[in-house]
Amino acid sequence: MVDKGGKEPLETISLLIEGAGSGRDADLLKAKIWSLEGVKELNLDMESRQADVTFDPSRTSEKEIIRSISETGMTCSMAKVKERSTWWKEKQQLALYGCGIITFFSFILMFLGVGPSITNALFGIAVLVGVYYPARKAIIALINLTPTIHLLMLIGASGAILLGMWYEAAILIFVYSLGDVLESYAVDKARGAIRSLTELVPKKALVRKDGHEVIMPTEDIDVGDMVIVRPGERIPVDGKVFQGMSFVDQAAVTGESIPVQKNVGDEVFAGTINQNGSMEVRVDRTASETMLSKIICSVEEAQSKRTSYQRFSDDFARWYTPAMFALGVAVATIPPLFFGADWHTFILRGLVVFVVSCSCGLALSVPVAVVAAMANAAQNGTVYKGGAYLEVVDEVKAIAFDKTGTLTIGRPEVSDILVYSDITEEELMDLVGSIESRSSHPLAAAIVRKAKEINAFSGKEVKDFQEISGMGVSASADGKQYLVGNARLQQDKGVLLNEYRESIEGLESKGKTVVLVGSEGHLLGLIAITDTVRPGAKDALQRLKDMGIVTVMLTGDNERSAKMIAQQVGADRYYSQLLPLEKVELIKELRAEFGTVAMVGDGINDAPAMAVSDVGIAMGAAGTDIAIETGDIVLMSDDLSKLDYLIRLSTKAITIIRQNIWISLINISFMVVAALLGYLGLVTGLLLNEASAVFVIFNALRLLKWSKTTDASVAVSSDREPSASGGAAN
Ligand code: ADP
Ligand code: MG
């Protein structure tokens, strides 16, 4: 038995590997290090040749690890012990601090009356210490002949020195580098929020192999392996419970805050937390294919579908920096050359223009806002597949919902079986069940389930099976042709319904879907099916309506049951008996009427409608791959109450982006005018500039922590658990 529950604090060491080159070496190293007892985590970066090993010090030691690496023929040395590179250890920050401290020190000397020869020398040293990193970037820019911000900055500082403004130069370098560090910290933080999702999956798993329990790296686990998950552990794989039962906190994948009970046969997801029971899980997907890794991939790819604001800020940066460069040069040269103005004054003004244009606040704050909003969404079980959808969702005026599987649970149950010919109920269910077992429609599944339940299902031989989209199916069995589907289907194929109209309509007006079984012009019987309205659907729609959004229900189902369900959920409008292509037409009409329209569906036969809407929102059912592929946004938890969260989040993100753009633009224009008129000094110019950049970026970062309750004016009702589900009993 292997014990994973050690209480010792873990230690991390970083090792520099010498003599490693190829990927094969990496595999060898990995195998070697993982073979040690007590190793909990291994991060191997072959590019920097660094291995970070986290281990339980009571079970192994640094020496053990180093020894086992040397057995491979490679050698290693300690890179940084224990803690991973904390940020103050970075060289760039050291340079920044050095520059700051020396500047500060020489300021004090200056106030104490020490002569300028000494203080200026100290300021010069501060510049030398701090300038290295900005200068490196500036030189790259110079080589590429692109006037970047770093280059403008460097010119500003050199100019200040040439004009004998030593302390300005030192402060310039310091403030600029500080801004740079703060900005990259903010960007890392936003990116890291997405990357931290990856870290939810344990690196190692306890696997049962040939009767033994072994610890394996999660990425080496295969489909079909048995993984043992103890209480309190994170589940390392996607799979089905094979043995045991437990409550699982699925917040990481679905955003649901309440743990879900898992019994044998239920699906569990990598990254979720097993709470109280021990379970054995049969693996369904390899580590790179899990739901969580799909979420992460989607979010990462999403950064390529950019918002119009991002395009704006990029375009802006493209002409702004060169324009400022030209303006700076013009200000420094034209007045003294042609109008006999004072060189010193105008060179200084030109430098101030350079310095105030050293802002990347605008360029950075938009992508940071987008990434932060998407990270927030991912943590709430919703996945944006493009930053551009933030903008679309913010503008949504109407939302169309598919009925089955979206507004209803999509797990319909057979409630009535009526036979109109000389066959028995069992014979009817056997026949229809056998035909429907070929269909993937939720109604078909309900019929098959019922047929099996009453022991009528024999699995007859079925031929010529055909699905008639939005209407039903046809097939032949026992030498006869059968039609199973709605009234429209039967009428189209000449099955007479007249004498049964009344009982059909009676069932439909109770909200039931009636599946008719016809053959050779006659109705053999019908099967009535009920589907429960999703608990919370009504609340969710109400909250959308409170926000002024029109809710529309679309369904292929009959008029009466559509009306019934639409009333139950409180949809503003409903359209029934739609074929999938008619749903597409309808979405087009809604777009013409409302402008921006979202379509919420489960991806089963409503994918085309989702595709023509401005933004398709897929019900993820925490696992269906179709949803993840068809939706522009995916609701991993099937939870309609996430819709108003999505809208509020998107609106918040767009508001913050607009704020930032305005703040940056106003600030820039103010500073440029002030600089031209000579009202702005080098230091104040740069301080204003960096302060605004840091401000807008941190303003964008607020989206990481934003939650609906902090902003929502409408309280979230908590009493939406029981309610519906009545009447669905057998
Ligand atoms: P929805 O819009 O509610 O998702 P569909 O477009 O999937 O509905 O189907 C519309 C109607 O077609 C159903 O209400 C049902 O009457 C009929 N139908 C579709 N597929 C089947 C099937 N496999 N068996 C029986 N009836 C079906
Ligand atoms: Mg459907």
Side-chain angles (χ1 to χ4, degrees), residues 71 91 114 361 633 678:
E71 277 172 15
K91 283 184 240 150
V114 176
I633 296 178

Side-chain angles (χ1 to χ4, degrees), residues 402-405 441 583 602 604-606:
D402 184 45
K403 186 193 75 152
T404 315
H441 201 275
K583 290 185 187 173
D602 58 6
I604 305 173
N605 81 29
D606 41 30

Side-chain angles (χ1 to χ4, degrees), residues 402 404 436 439 441 443 470-473 486 513 555-557 583 605:
D402 184 45
T404 315
E436 290 282 34
S439 163
H441 201 275
L443 293 177
M471 299 213 275
V473 300
N486 60 15
T513 305
T555 182
D557 210 345
K583 290 185 187 173
N605 81 29

Side-chain angles (χ1 to χ4, degrees), residues 4 11 77 99 107 163 178 200 216 266-267 289 354 369 381 415 453 456 464 504 536 587 590 606 612 691-692 722:
K4 282 183 58 175
E11 257 183 59
S77 58
C99 174
F107 256 114
L163 294 179
L178 181 66
L200 295 175
M216 277 175 64
D266 288 345
E267 255 192 297
E289 307 258 275
F354 279 157
S415 61
E453 221 172 87
D464 312 323
I504 294 173
I587 294 287
L590 289 173
D606 41 30
V612 294
S692 107

Side-chain angles (χ1 to χ4, degrees), residues 113-341:
V114 176
S117 50
I118 294 178
T119 53
N120 282 354
L122 278 174
F123 285 126
I125 293 173
V127 170
L128 284 180
V129 170
V131 84
Y132 177 71
Y133 288 95
R136 218 170 51 169
K137 291 179 188 166
I139 287 166
I140 295 170
L142 196 61
I143 293 170
N144 294 320
L145 289 179
T146 38
T148 66
I149 278 150
H150 308 290
L151 189 57
L152 293 180
M153 178 65 217
L154 196 65
I155 295 174
S158 330
I161 291 177
L162 288 180
L163 294 179
M165 303 165 72
W166 290 91
Y167 86 85
E168 281 93 342
I171 289 185
L172 230 61
I173 296 287
F174 174 69
V175 173
Y176 175 74
S177 312
L178 181 66
D180 221 29
V181 166
L182 283 176
E183 282 153 18
S184 60
Y185 163 80
V187 175
D188 282 353
K189 200 166 157 96
R191 296 257 146 81
I194 290 168
R195 215 170 302 128
S196 70
L197 291 171
T198 338
E199 282 154 24
L200 295 175
V201 180
K203 298 279 186 314
K204 293 170 97 177
L206 188 57
V207 178
R208 191 188 297 286
K209 271 221 156 131
D210 320 316
H212 294 288
E213 293 178 12
V214 288
I215 294 184
M216 277 175 64
T218 308
E219 56 189 45
D220 291 347
I221 293 176
D222 283 323
V223 172
D225 282 352
M226 287 293 173
V227 173
I228 300 164
V229 192
R230 310 255 171 94
E233 286 179 353
R234 279 193 186 271
I235 299 174
V237 292
D238 278 13
K240 287 198 186 64
V241 180
F242 185 73
Q243 203 180 300
M245 72 137 260
S246 182
F247 281 86
V248 174
D249 175 351
Q250 305 207 111
V253 173
T254 66
E256 295 162 295
S257 49
I258 302 161
V260 184
Q261 189 172 3
K262 298 288 180 181
N263 295 310
V264 172
D266 288 345
E267 255 192 297
V268 293
F269 302 103
T272 59
I273 309 165
N274 179 22
Q275 297 220 306
N276 55 343
S278 198
M279 294 187 294
E280 220 165 290
V281 174
R282 194 178 172 281
V283 178
D284 280 344
R285 299 190 189 98
T286 56
S288 57
E289 307 258 275
T290 59
M291 274 306 134
L292 196 64
S293 53
K294 281 200 183 134
I295 295 179
I296 295 163
C297 280
S298 298
V299 176
E300 277 172 353
E301 280 166 20
Q303 291 166 38
S304 59
K305 278 190 196 163
R306 299 174 327 146
T307 61
S308 62
Y309 299 101
Q310 260 159 301
R311 286 192 294 273
F312 167 77
S313 79
D314 285 359
D315 289 347
F316 183 78
R318 205 167 302 134
W319 62 259
Y320 171 71
T321 318
M324 292 310 269
F325 191 83
L327 183 65
V329 172
V331 169
T333 54
I334 293 173
L337 270 183
F338 300 106
F339 304 100

